[in-house]
Amino acid sequence: MARHLDWEAARGRGLHSDSLHDLAGLAFEVAEDAPLQRVLSHVARNVTDLPGVLYGGVYLLGDDATTLQLEGWHGLTAEYLKVMREMPLDLASGTAATGPPNVRAVLTATTILVPDVFAETELGPWLPLFRPQGFRGIAAVPMTAPDGAVIGSVTAYLAKGAAPGPADLPVLEELGRLATAVTLLVRRREADRAAVEGLRADLDRAAARMAEQRRLGAFERAALRLSADGAGLAPVVRTLTDGLGVALTVLGPTGEVLAGDPRGDGRSVSASMHVNDDQTMTLQAAVPPQTPPDEPVPWSLDGAALIVELELRRLDRDADIESRLTKDLVADLLSPAAMRHRDAVFGRAVALGHRPQHAHDVVMVALPEVESGGDPTAGVARAHRRVVALTGTVRPRPVVGSVGSHVVVLNPVPTDDRPPGAEGTTRALAARLAAAIAGARVLIGPRARTLADAPHAFDVASRAVQLLTRRSAGVIDMTDLGVPGLLLQSAQPEALRELAERTLAPLVRNDAERGGRLLATLRAWLAAGMSTPETARTMFVHVNTVNYRLRRIGELTGLQPSRPADLIQLQLALTVAEISGSIPPGALRN
C-alpha cells in the first residue's frame, strides 16, 4: 500500500523543502531566451522537489500529434534518456485505463497516478527499462493549453512506498500548467523569431532582386540601343547573354539557329516570339541546374525575349523593304535587255549598298515542290524574304531576288584568302540557306567577274539547277565539277539526264544484282586523279582489284576510261547523276 509522504518526511529523506523555490530562476531563463529543452528541464527539476519524487520528465506531443517525445528531464539515467529520445511513446500504445501513465494523461486530459508500475501487467514491455532506474510509481499530469488542447505531460517518477498526498498533486498539476505556459511562450517566441528571420530574408532577397533588376535593366537598355542603331541580331543577343549570364540562342521557325550559342549546359528555359503572322521564333536559355525557379534569369528571359522580338521585327521589316527593292534589281541584272542601260542598273545597285564591279557567285535556291492546292508564288515570296533576312548582316551585301520558282543570290566574293566553307564565303552562305529553308536544295553556280557578267553565269546555273531532285545533296557546288561543269553550259538538262542514265545504267544494274562496287570505284578513281594505287589505298583493296573493276566498267559501258573522249563522257554522266541524285543511296560510298 502506497503511503503519503508529507513535506517534513521529505526533508528527512534529503529532498527540498520548497517545491517552487527555483521558479524565479525559471523566469530568468525564459527571459534570457533559453532553449525549450533547458526551460523544461528546469521544470523537471522542480518536479523532483516534491516529496518522494526521484526523477522528473516533461513530454511533448510530436508534430504528428501521435507520439510523446521527452523534451525536458532531471535525474534520469543516460540509458533511459537514450531509449526515450530515440523511441518516442506512441499514443496508440495506451488507452484511458491502460498503458504508460503519461500517455493516459494525454489521452484523458486528467492526472494519472500509478503507485506501483510493477503491479500493472499492461506495462510489461516497459518494466525492463523501469527496473534499473530504481523508481516504483509514476504520477503524470496533462499539459492543457487555454484552448483545451493537450500538448504533453509532466511526469514524476516516485520512490518505493511514496505517493503524493492531497496537497502534493495540486502542486504537480500547477507545475503542469507552468510547463504548458512556458512551452507556449517559448514556442511563440521561436515562431516570432522565425517569422522575423523569414521577413529579413525576404527583404534581403527583395533588395538583391531589385539590384539585379537594375543591373539587368542596364544591359537591356544597351541591347535596345544596339537594335535602334541597326547593329543586328547577333550583337543584341550577345549583350543580353552577358547581362543574364547564361547562354542564349535564337531559334527560327524550323528550329534553325539564328544567333547565339546552342551548346550551353543546364536545363532549357524558352520564350516564344511572334515576329509576323506566319513566323514564331524561340529564345532559349541554358539555365544552370542549381538555379531556383524564382531567380532573376528565368523571369528576365521574358524581357530579353521582348527585346529580341523587337529586333527580329525590325529585321523582318527591313528585309521586306529590301526584298521589294532588290527583287526588281535582280531581274534587271539578269536581263540582257535591261543591261543595255547598265549605268542606270548599276546606279541602283550602288544606292542599295552593292558593288557592281565586284566578283559575284551565282547561288540558286531550289524550293521543294508545292503540295497539290498550294500556292507556289507564296512559297517563293516567303523563301525570298527568309533569304533576305539571313543575308542581312553579310558584308559586302549580296543581291537577292527571285526568278520563276527559284530564289537567286548574287553573293560578293571575299577579297581576302579565306578557306572554302569559312564564314563569309559562298559555301558557308549556301550551307546556311540549305539548313534554314526546309527541303531546299542550293546550287552554287559559276562566278561572274562583275555584275555585268551575271546573265551568262545565271544561264549556266539555271541549266544545272533543273537537274536537281529531292535526292540531290543539300548543297551542290559547280566549281567542283571541272570540265563536266563546263559541258553543262551548252547541253539541255533532259539530254544530260538521258546521257547519264544511258551511260551508267549497266553499272547501276551490275552493282545492284551482284553487290559490286563499280560506281564507287569509278568515282574514287576520278577523285584520285586516275591513279590506280591511290584508288586502291582509299578503297582498302588491292591494285589488281581496281584494275579488274576498271576493265569491267569498260566491258559493261563500252567506254574505256583510258580513252580521253570516253573518260569525259563517264565523268559527265557521273556528275549529272550526282547532281540529280539518280544514283541509289550508298552506291558511291567507298
Side-chain angles (χ1 to χ4, degrees), residues 306-317:
L306 179 59
I307 295 174
V308 174
E309 181 177 322
L310 291 173
E311 174 62 11
L312 288 170
R313 290 191 177 195
R314 184 191 69 79
L315 292 173
D316 185 69
R317 183 180 64 254

Side-chain angles (χ1 to χ4, degrees), residues 200-242:
R200 183 178 291 113
D202 289 342
L203 291 174
D204 291 342
R205 283 193 294 269
R209 181 172 294 180
M210 290 179 63
E212 181 66 8
Q213 284 179 323
R214 287 193 295 270
R215 188 187 71 83
L216 292 175
F219 281 95
E220 290 174 349
R221 288 190 294 274
L224 286 172
R225 281 194 295 270
L226 288 172
S227 179
D229 293 340
L233 182 61
V236 170
V237 173
R238 279 197 300 270
T239 299
L240 293 172
T241 295
D242 293 341

Side-chain angles (χ1 to χ4, degrees), residues 54-55 130-136 158-160:
L54 298 178
Y55 318 120
F130 292 166
R131 187 169 286 108
Q133 309 306 312
F135 63 82
R136 193 75 175 194
L158 308 174
K160 182 178 181 180

Side-chain angles (χ1 to χ4, degrees), residues 33-320:
D33 281 351
L36 183 59
Q37 179 180 311
R38 179 177 161 187
V39 173
L40 294 181
S41 293
H42 201 124
V43 174
R45 187 175 66 181
N46 290 144
V47 171
T48 62
D49 287 340
L50 289 172
V53 178
L54 298 178
Y55 318 120
V58 180
Y59 293 80
L60 296 181
L61 274 177
D63 293 336
D64 57 0
T66 62
T67 58
L68 277 178
Q69 176 76 50
L70 181 61
E71 296 291 352
W73 57 85
H74 183 72
L76 294 168
T77 65
E79 180 184 0
Y80 189 87
L81 291 175
K82 183 175 184 298
V83 174
M84 288 293 102
R85 295 286 289 172
E86 293 179 355
M87 298 176 58
L89 294 172
D90 192 342
L91 293 187
S93 64
T95 66
T98 62
N102 36 16
V103 171
R104 292 162 58 187
V106 171
L107 293 175
T108 62
T110 59
T111 299
I112 301 297
L113 174 61
V114 179
D116 187 354
V117 294
F118 297 99
E120 301 278 342
T121 57
E122 70 276 4
L123 293 179
W126 286 275
L127 296 182
L129 180 64
F130 292 166
R131 187 169 286 108
Q133 309 306 312
F135 63 82
R136 193 75 175 194
I138 295 178
V141 298
M143 296 170 56
T144 305
D147 61 359
V150 179
I151 65 171
S153 166
V154 173
T155 303
Y157 297 88
L158 308 174
K160 182 178 181 180
D168 300 331
L169 280 179
V171 175
L172 184 61
E173 291 170 347
E174 188 65 32
L175 287 173
R177 287 188 287 273
L178 178 63
T180 302
V182 296
T183 298
L184 295 177
L185 178 62
V186 172
R187 284 180 172 176
R188 172 60 64 86
R189 183 190 66 198
E190 292 175 348
D192 290 345
R193 181 181 293 115
V196 170
E197 291 298 326
L199 181 59
R200 183 178 291 113
D202 289 342
L203 291 174
D204 291 342
R205 283 193 294 269
R209 181 172 294 180
M210 290 179 63
E212 181 66 8
Q213 284 179 323
R214 287 193 295 270
R215 188 187 71 83
L216 292 175
F219 281 95
E220 290 174 349
R221 288 190 294 274
L224 286 172
R225 281 194 295 270
L226 288 172
S227 179
D229 293 340
L233 182 61
V236 170
V237 173
R238 279 197 300 270
T239 299
L240 293 172
T241 295
D242 293 341
L244 291 176
V246 297
L248 292 179
T249 308
V250 181
L251 303 177
T254 59
E256 72 276 17
V257 176
L258 303 182
D261 184 3
R263 296 170 297 177
D265 296 328
R267 60 186 174 92
S268 178
V269 180
S270 60
S272 297
M273 301 174 292
H274 302 283
V275 179
N276 52 44
D277 292 339
D278 58 354
Q279 282 191 332
T280 298
M281 303 187 187
T282 304
L283 180 63
Q284 184 172 284
V287 181
Q290 66 274 15
T291 304
D294 60 345
E295 284 299 299
V297 169
W299 50 256
S300 294
L301 186 64
D302 291 336
L306 179 59
I307 295 174
V308 174
E309 181 177 322
L310 291 173
E311 174 62 11
L312 288 170
R313 290 191 177 195
R314 184 191 69 79
L315 292 173
D316 185 69
R317 183 180 64 254
D318 292 350
D320 185 57

Side-chain angles (χ1 to χ4, degrees), residues 532-589:
T532 303
E534 179 64 16
T535 304
R537 188 187 66 80
T538 58
M539 297 192 73
F540 301 100
V541 297
H542 196 273
V543 172
N544 292 341
T545 301
V546 176
N547 286 325
Y548 168 75
R549 291 177 180 176
L550 291 175
R551 285 196 302 273
R552 285 291 294 159
I553 290 171
E555 293 170 0
L556 293 173
T557 63
L559 301 172
Q560 296 301 323
S562 58
R563 288 202 299 263
D566 291 353
L567 176 63
I568 290 176
Q569 181 175 339
L570 287 170
Q571 192 170 6
L572 177 61
L574 193 62
T575 299
V576 172
E578 286 195 70
I579 292 177
S580 63
S582 60
I583 296 178
L588 296 178
R589 285 199 293 268

